[in-house]
Amino acid sequence: MTEPVLDLRPPVNLVARRAVLFWASRAALGWVVPLVGELLWLLLGGGGAPLTIAIFVTAGVAIAHLLIMPQWRYRVHRWETTDQVVYTQSGWFNQERRIAPVSRIQTVDTERGPLERMFGLANLTVTTASARGPVHIHGLDLDTAQRLAAELAARTQATVGDAT
């Protein structure tokens, strides 16, 4: 009996659509610090025309980042599971596709930070017996993440061997 051939095809599932707003919100929080700092500098220190230009440039870059990044990330980040493997695809300019055999899974974890909880999202981490490290799926709907964690744990338990 021969083993099925696995290829690095694109995984079929997109992350939760709410992840777009989550990623934009998280990025917006990161832009608050430089923009507020520049505004305070302008108001308290009087940076003049060069600082005013810097504020507009920072705001322009921030707006472009907030409009492009979440949509791009949503289109690229994908996942899929089968009875034998977990597929993931991630990255920006350098995209990575990974396959983790279920027989090599050691742990399956879900994580949720405060902002993820606000959006009803969770992240799934599948730790394998691989030097490459764990496989991450970010931006899953909470119910999907919990169901997937339970399914992968059950498949792992049913697989012969000790994942080492």
Side-chain angles (χ1 to χ4, degrees):
M1 188 163 157
T2 62
E3 291 291 318
V5 176
L6 301 174
D7 61 330
L8 282 174
R9 62 179 171 73
V12 297
N13 300 308
L14 293 168
V15 298
R17 187 73 184 142
R18 286 188 310 265
V20 173
L21 188 54
F22 163 73
W23 290 324
S25 299
R26 190 176 67 183
L29 291 173
W31 283 107
V32 167
V33 173
L35 284 170
V36 168
E38 289 175 348
L39 287 171
L40 285 175
W41 185 10
L42 180 66
L43 295 174
L44 300 176
L51 186 56
T52 303
I53 293 169
I55 291 170
F56 280 108
V57 169
T58 302
V61 172
I63 290 168
H65 181 238
L66 296 176
L67 292 175
I68 295 169
M69 177 276 295
Q71 295 296 328
W72 188 340
R73 190 170 183 182
Y74 179 74
R75 285 179 177 83
V76 171
H77 287 68
R78 296 174 179 264
W79 65 275
E80 181 181 355
T81 62
T82 69
D83 290 340
Q84 296 87 22
V85 298
V86 176
Y87 287 90
T88 62
Q89 177 179 288
S90 61
W92 297 86
F93 297 106
N94 295 322
Q95 294 179 4
E96 175 184 64
R97 289 187 187 151
R98 292 186 61 193
I99 295 177
V102 170
S103 63
R104 305 291 283 170
I105 293 175
Q106 294 178 328
T107 63
V108 180
D109 304 299
T110 58
E111 303 95 23
R112 300 177 71 207
L115 203 52
E116 279 114 348
R117 287 195 297 273
M118 284 177 52
F119 286 93
L121 299 172
N123 304 310
L124 189 79
T125 300
V126 179
T127 306
T128 65
S130 166
R132 184 76 170 122
V135 174
H136 299 282
I137 306 172
H138 296 281
L140 292 174
D141 176 80
L142 176 60
D143 293 337
T144 301
Q146 291 175 332
R147 177 186 50 78
L148 191 56
E151 287 175 8
L152 288 172
R155 284 186 209 150
T156 302
Q157 185 65 27
T159 301
V160 178
D162 64 357
T164 57

